[in-house]
Amino acid sequence: MTREPVGWDVDSPVQAEVFVVWLDGDQIQLTGPDGPRAWYLQLDATEHPVEVVDRIVRDVVGPPLLVHSTSWRRDRGAVILSFVVVIEPDLVGSMDSVAIGRAELARSEATVARRDIALEAVVEHGLRHLAWLADDDPVVAATLPSGWRPILATYIPEPFRTLG
């Protein structure tokens, strides 16, 4: 397709929602320059989201091991692209961290997206996505330090569970 269909006006702002995670022994921790919470970055229409997240994390925190978009949703008056960014423990420095607990996934209908999604569910989904990639994607498998594999093994992906 060389042009957008008539009436499809995609003009919304796009934001990156970044979850900076690191491995503390056998516990995945959430951290970031603004504390252990989602970090929101505005994306320009001409910028590639992965490149922006990588560049800003690199500039503010240090070089990430892995930058991966795990989901998207409509929220905050924008399209939100969620990213899990894995960093080495030595980059945490004085940033506050919190252990990531398990959460229920936000379930939707087959053709209707859920309107309210808790951030804990976004993180859970992101870590399940990372677990799947650690088994399926040779680049991710080779990039993640060995300590990640046994912990991610407990995050079992459940694609299309509600459709079965």
Side-chain angles (χ1 to χ4, degrees):
M1 178 178 276
T2 58
R3 63 182 178 84
E4 292 182 17
V6 175
W8 287 38
D9 199 11
V10 182
D11 193 25
S12 305
V14 178
Q15 298 174 19
E17 175 181 62
V18 180
F19 296 98
V20 179
V21 298
W22 63 285
L23 193 58
D24 183 16
D26 63 353
Q27 180 65 58
I28 300 173
Q29 300 274 335
L30 177 65
T31 192
D34 194 30
R37 61 183 61 84
W39 181 18
Y40 293 94
L41 307 174
Q42 188 68 37
L43 300 173
D44 189 337
T46 61
E47 296 175 310
H48 191 288
V50 174
E51 292 170 0
V52 170
V53 172
D54 178 72
R55 183 185 75 241
I56 293 176
V57 169
R58 192 172 296 277
D59 290 349
V60 176
V61 175
L65 289 173
L66 182 71
V67 174
H68 192 76
S69 177
T70 60
S71 62
W72 71 272
R73 70 184 184 286
R74 185 97 177 126
D75 196 9
R76 298 169 41 97
V79 172
I80 305 292
L81 304 176
S82 300
F83 286 83
V84 171
V85 174
V86 177
I87 63 169
E88 291 280 10
D90 62 341
L91 292 181
V92 176
S94 63
M95 294 186 296
D96 290 334
S97 297
V98 66
I100 296 174
R102 299 305 302 261
E104 286 293 317
L105 292 177
R107 304 289 182 189
S108 62
E109 296 177 33
T111 60
V112 178
R114 186 145 168 192
R115 296 229 182 256
D116 59 326
I117 301 174
L119 288 181
E120 294 82 7
V122 176
V123 173
E124 177 76 19
H125 176 85
L127 291 174
R128 288 183 188 206
H129 191 108
L130 192 58
W132 170 66
L133 290 172
D135 280 339
D136 191 64
D137 185 312
V139 172
V140 173
T143 301
L144 286 174
S146 61
W148 280 86
R149 296 294 294 253
I151 292 150
L152 288 175
T154 67
Y155 286 87
I156 301 168
E158 299 178 42
F160 307 110
R161 179 177 129 186
T162 58
L163 300 179

